[in-house]
Amino acid sequence: MYCPVRCCFTMSVPPPPISITIHPITEKTKLEYIGKDNRGMSSLKTTRRLDLEVRSPVPADIDIANSVEPLPITDIAESLNLRPNDYDLYGKYKAKVLLSVLDELQGCEDGHYVVVGGITPTPLGEGKSTATVGLCQALGAFLDKKVVTCLRQPSQGPTFGIKGGAAGGGYSQVIPMDEFNLHLTGDIHAITAANNLLAAAIDSRMFHEASQSDKALFNRLCPPNKEGKRTFADVMFRRLQKLGISKSSPDELTSDEIKRFVRLDIDPDSITWRRVMDVNDRFLRKITVGEGTEEKGMIRDTGFDISVASEIMAVLALMTSLADMRERLGRMVIGNSRNGDPITADDLGVGGALTVLMKDAINPTLMQTLEGTPVLVHAGPFANIAHGNSSIVADKVALKLAGKGGFVVTEAGFGADIGIEKFINIKCRYSGLVPHCAVIVATIRALKMHGGGPDVVAGKPLPHAYLTENLALVEAGCVNLARHITNTKAYGVNVIVAINKFATDTDAEVNAVRTAALAAGAFEAVVCTNHAHGGKGAVDLGFAVQRACEGQSQRLNFLYPLDIGIKEKIEAIAKSYGAGAVEYSEQAEKKIEMYTKQGFSGLPICMAKTQYSFSHIPSQKGCPNGFVLPIRDVRASIGAGFIYPLVGTMSTMPGLPTRPCFYEIDVDVATGKVRGLS
């Protein structure tokens, strides 16, 4: 199996074609002049063919990842025409691509934009990340297209918990796999630090306001300098503007203005901001703070979420520049005053400090696949309570680097009812980007489950029905696939179904899925074996994606307009699930009224719903219709820019199973290589 990796070098004149050998594991490297690059400079294109030894049965993911020596990340950067001052190195195999690249390539054409979603999954997952990586390996390593994969950064919670990592699988992975699944370049750690700084600021401000007079607060917030002159910190002008106070000197404030300025008067019962950590720890879901003797009885109940559930993660994914991130972080709402006014991070004076903690995380991380095609890893918001997509800036950078005729493949979390719906109605709204094609990944296993098959439980052997041919279950379950196709086509994009084929799947079962997919309106339905064969196993999918992107109109049909009410937007999404009605709790009704009064009703909706069913009940498989969708609460991520209704019970802090993945994870002390990651 071979992989052409294209690296471009600038030269003053076009050279004649030559052949050289540059690495002991390469068969041949061919240098060929390809004209001007996207910065108007003469370029050389090198095609490196790397041997990818494929074994059967497929070894463990970490063993495959450890068997391949990654190319230096500088080679991957050169293949994208990136210059050394366009990125910062993080070791030999990772680099941060600087957002200044977007300014330099502003006038260049974008590549084709492809989003990958899936059918409603089993708890085992259906190989969506693996199909995303395999498609890019096929496009880049076999079909000679310039391609960039855009993926979310995985959380350490599932990596050490029950699901494992998110680097893909088999012979379609991002490498180094251990670095991808663990600390990477520290973005999640930066989010954790920023989130918890804001949490500390909230409790600290309430403590100081409870124990000081207006005058004492004012003297400490705006202390006189050596000359006896008071000044406002720059961030304070944001609060003054919000209060309608246009004065520039603290000494000009009246006693009433001083009171309004210094007293946030946060209602403890309204606080929605919680602390976070990137570990599954069920015992931190609910905690009590303020138990220390020096906290003077300021005790309140709160809890921890997992770091990727933080609104700061959603901000990172949806911001479009450093300036945009600063504004979004500053306007994050942490709760209300006792008068019902929203309290923001900038009201607390911490928006600038949060941005400083996040200033390096703003840049996407460059990595590579097993077959040497480039990958941008950035952000990792939850796909059920947040929008579950990698960052806007990573996609924008990738589209410019891929250029005209190239491809950018980005993944949307969970099934298309969650991931692609939010990709279109939230991410594309803020980015202004329009996909040329959508891929929906399906497995025979999941379709059998939706057709009435027995429960699939992570960590337990698959029931017999999933290991032998059963056309009746497959055909019955295809109603789930059909709805995903219909919903996604309604956005105005071509839909391709990628059938992720397992060894136990029969030709008759695969043909049944293909027939059902085409009948539902899919542009094409193709079989993929990239888990077992790498990019070679997704070549048909690569050809189908090329055909689907050709001549595709650049226009989106959003599911709802922004200028309708919160309830109308919720009900439009519920209808796409198949719901016959929506039922709101008393608490949800009050929140909708409050957010509307506060001026937030124009934001898009991000439904927090189980990924295991179109409905709110995970056990309702297939294609349920006419059910009543219950909205038990409605919350707001104002900085990120969406309202999120809670459908049923959603956990923002997963727990560890009896036998977590960490039992298998260790290090080979002789070689330093990680063992047991999946």
Side-chain angles (χ1 to χ4, degrees), residues 154-166 181-182 661-662 665 677-678:
S155 164
Q156 290 180 174
T159 296
F160 291 113
I162 194 167
K163 183 177 181 293
N181 282 315
L182 300 175
C661 292
F662 62 62
I665 299 172
L677 271 177
S678 61

Side-chain angles (χ1 to χ4, degrees), residues 217-274:
L217 283 168
F218 187 60
N219 287 339
R220 287 175 171 84
L221 287 171
C222 301
N225 58 21
K226 292 180 180 179
E227 290 76 34
K229 184 179 180 181
R230 299 178 189 273
T231 58
F232 290 119
D234 286 345
V235 70
M236 292 178 175
F237 287 105
R238 294 172 180 255
R239 174 154 178 80
L240 291 168
Q241 183 181 18
K242 177 180 176 179
L243 295 172
I245 300 172
S246 58
K247 298 173 181 178
S248 58
S249 170
D251 294 327
E252 297 174 352
L253 267 58
T254 67
S255 58
D256 178 65
E257 288 170 338
I258 288 173
K259 182 181 182 67
R260 293 167 57 210
F261 171 68
V262 301
R263 295 238 171 246
L264 302 183
D265 198 24
I266 300 170
D267 179 358
D269 293 334
S270 75
I271 295 173
T272 56
W273 200 265
R274 291 153 59 94

